[in-house]
Amino acid sequence: MQTTSPLLAELDSLPARWEVDGTLAAPVAAVAALLLAVTGGRVGEDNLLVLARASTARQGAMTVVAASGVGAYRAELAGPVEPVEIQVDRARSRMAVQSWYGGVHTVTACPAGTRVTHRVHRVIPDHPGFADGIAEIGLRARMARDLRQVLHVIADRLGC
């Protein structure tokens, strides 16, 4: 039985370009259950939470569909945008997302409760606005903000 998805293995083989993390005073299993919740249907705070704040998801134009493979999904977007590839490994509390960047969210225990880490391993080189170091600094700030928003939703749902 396959426990690591091809996308996770591919991203794990690359060095992390940067990472952001945050902690919650909650059990790992409870945080992982909310963070890794991915099923067919509309993207929102109860389904593919890490993409729920994306503008396409907020407009109701992002839908998750099952893909072939263990823990494999696609998020399809309205318009001419390529689907987002998603791989979930619930046994290891990890999820990979590949769109214009490839990143991995990992849930682990820490002294404060649970740490959620988001590592970005790959960015499409020709992505608009990512041609120089200034764009990367802005992208890092955006990823930190996005993770804080995800952790806020989880904290609210868990009452911590």
Side-chain angles (χ1 to χ4, degrees), residues 18 32 62 73 79 88 99 105 137 139 158:
W18 69 85
M62 187 184 297
Y73 302 90
V88 179
S99 60
H105 284 80
I137 292 168
L139 188 55
L158 298 177

Side-chain angles (χ1 to χ4, degrees), residues 14-19 101-102 119-125 130 132 136 139-140:
L14 301 171
R17 291 183 70 144
W18 69 85
E19 77 176 53
Y101 76 91
R119 289 183 182 93
V120 173
H121 296 272
R122 174 174 45 216
V123 176
I124 295 174
F130 197 77
D132 57 36
E136 185 166 335
L139 188 55
R140 287 180 188 198

Side-chain angles (χ1 to χ4, degrees), residues 50-66:
V50 300
L51 294 183
R53 303 276 182 190
S55 62
T56 308
R58 288 193 317 265
Q59 296 168 12
M62 187 184 297
T63 305
V64 175
V65 295

Side-chain angles (χ1 to χ4, degrees), residues 3-141:
T3 58
T4 301
S5 69
L7 180 58
L8 277 165
E10 182 181 336
L11 293 175
D12 283 344
S13 72
L14 301 171
R17 291 183 70 144
W18 69 85
E19 77 176 53
V20 294
D21 65 31
T23 60
L24 292 167
V28 171
V31 173
L34 294 173
L35 186 75
L36 304 178
V38 181
T39 189
R42 190 171 158 185
V43 173
E45 290 187 353
D46 61 345
N47 188 24
L48 193 55
L49 174 60
V50 300
L51 294 183
R53 303 276 182 190
S55 62
T56 308
R58 288 193 317 265
Q59 296 168 12
M62 187 184 297
T63 305
V64 175
V65 295
S68 61
V70 176
Y73 302 90
R74 281 189 331 272
E76 295 184 347
L77 296 84
V81 180
E82 292 292 320
V84 175
E85 184 180 354
I86 301 124
Q87 298 286 327
V88 179
D89 182 345
R90 287 178 182 81
R92 295 178 57 209
S93 299
R94 303 175 72 215
M95 176 172 45
V97 175
Q98 176 67 56
S99 60
W100 58 271
Y101 76 91
V104 177
H105 284 80
T106 306
V107 180
T108 56
C110 71
T114 300
R115 172 172 284 119
V116 177
T117 304
H118 182 200
R119 289 183 182 93
V120 173
H121 296 272
R122 174 174 45 216
V123 176
I124 295 174
D126 296 330
H127 183 266
F130 197 77
D132 57 36
I134 294 171
E136 185 166 335
I137 292 168
L139 188 55
R140 287 180 188 198

